[in-house]
């Protein structure tokens, strides 16, 4: 069965520290991978996506993510977190062999300490 | 400005009273979908539509209806709402449903529904 796991419900980091949010997926077919951010009271905004090619992708707001097929992972990273990055982050996956269905992880809420 | 607009943003209603949440996009997108967001569960797809007059069930369609009479609009209908439909709802649209076409989903700002 297709599933997406974000193992961390909450993460707290200090402003200026580095950040890594984890995302794992199950299912063997070629995945299409996305990270979205949801600020309080807002809809979802696409941070970055991976379809093919270079497995390290750059996104908006200084975020990047790396696709590791061997680990079925697509972790989101940022070298230096800003207070405005506090939000909820969702990993989402679609699979090439199925009709388009974007399956979301349960989300990770990022808190930033001043 | 390209956008997906949902109305209302907030709604409190009583059990059994029919309601409609509207969704409209101005990007001429073929594909539209509805999600509900619940704590600890992420977003789950309710219904989607590949184009006008083409709709299909997502993962959690029970208790919901949709229609797609025009390309820009995709209303979500709760014929007889129940408390377990209290949730945050998002509408999304994209140029096509197939991710191989390298499309991006645009989301509305959400509708917070409370059924008492």
């Amino acid at each position: 069965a297709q599933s997406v796991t974000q193992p961390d419900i909450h993460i707290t980091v200090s402003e200026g520290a580095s950040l890594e949010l984890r995302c794992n997926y199950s299912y063997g077919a070629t995945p299409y991978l996305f990270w979205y951010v949801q600020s309080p009271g807002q809809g979802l905004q696409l941070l970055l996506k991976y379809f093919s090619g270079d497995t390290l992708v750059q996104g908006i707001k200084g975020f990047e993510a790396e696709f590791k097929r061997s680990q079925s992972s697509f972790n989101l990273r940022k070298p230096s977190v800003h207070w405005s990055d506090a939000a909820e982050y969702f990993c989402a996956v679609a699979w090439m062999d199925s009709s388009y269905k974007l399956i979301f992880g349960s989300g990770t809420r990022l808190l930033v300490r001043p | 400005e390209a956008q997906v607009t949902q109305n209302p943003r907030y709604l409190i209603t009583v059990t059994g009273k029919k309601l409609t949440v509207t969704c409209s996009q101005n990007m001429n997108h073929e594909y539209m979908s509805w999600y509900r967001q619940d704590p600890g569960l992420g977003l789950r797809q309710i219904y989607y539509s590949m184009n006008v007059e083409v709709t299909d069930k997502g993962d959690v369609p029970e208790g919901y209806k949709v229609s797609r009479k025009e390309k820009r609009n995709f209303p979500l209908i709760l014929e007889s709402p129940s408390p377990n439909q209290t949730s945050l709802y998002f509408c999304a649209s994209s140029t096509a449903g197939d991710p191989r076409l390298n499309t991006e989903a645009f989301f509305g700002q959400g509708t917070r529904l409370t059924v008492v």
Side-chain angles (χ1 to χ4, degrees), chain A:
Chain A
Q2 301 161 337
S3 68
V4 180
T5 303
Q6 292 179 248
D8 304 304
I9 298 173
H10 295 101
I11 282 186
T12 301
V13 300
S14 298
E15 191 167 17
S18 64
L19 170 70
E20 182 168 29
L21 302 182
R22 295 182 290 166
C23 174
N24 293 91
Y25 63 90
S26 68
Y27 198 63
T30 301
Y32 296 81
L33 302 154
F34 307 81
W35 273 100
Y36 284 87
V37 60
Q38 183 182 31
S39 298
Q42 301 297 312
L44 280 77
Q45 181 184 21
L46 181 68
L47 283 175
L48 48 78
K49 60 189 176 186
Y50 172 79
F51 280 24
S52 64
D54 192 345
T55 56
L56 182 64
V57 293
Q58 303 297 320
I60 62 171
K61 304 186 181 188
F63 285 92
E64 67 177 26
E66 186 171 13
F67 170 49
K68 294 185 177 180
R69 186 184 295 276
S70 62
Q71 298 178 18
S72 298
S73 69
F74 189 56
N75 294 348
L76 181 72
R77 300 193 294 247
K78 187 169 185 178
S80 178
V81 169
H82 188 262
W83 64 266
S84 61
D85 294 324
E88 188 151 24
Y89 292 80
F90 291 94
C91 178
V93 185
W95 279 271
M96 190 176 74
D97 68 339
S98 63
S99 61
Y100 182 52
K101 180 184 288 189
L102 198 57
I103 296 181
F104 286 83
S106 55
T108 297
R109 184 167 296 278
L110 173 65
L111 305 174
V112 180
R113 277 193 298 257

Side-chain angles (χ1 to χ4, degrees), chain B residues 35-111:
Chain B
Y35 295 85
R36 60 177 289 173
Q37 181 183 3
D38 302 291
L41 297 177
L43 281 78
R44 294 177 293 167
Q45 192 178 52
I46 302 170
Y47 268 94
Y48 65 94
S49 169
M50 300 292 284
N51 213 324
V52 176
E53 301 292 3
V54 181
T55 63
D56 207 348
K57 297 177 181 178
D59 294 315
V60 288
E62 293 77 22
Y64 304 95
K65 283 175 56 178
V66 292
S67 69
R68 187 89 182 275
K69 294 184 168 55
E70 307 165 278
K71 200 172 190 180
R72 63 182 292 123
N73 296 323
F74 189 45
L76 179 69
I77 303 156
L78 285 72
E79 295 269 4
S80 183
S82 62
N84 65 12
Q85 293 178 297
T86 292
S87 187
L88 179 58
Y89 292 86
F90 287 100
C91 179
S93 74
S94 59
T95 54
D98 188 341
R100 289 169 288 187
L101 299 177
N102 198 10
T103 59
E104 171 187 342
F106 292 83
F107 285 79
Q109 291 195 292
T111 295

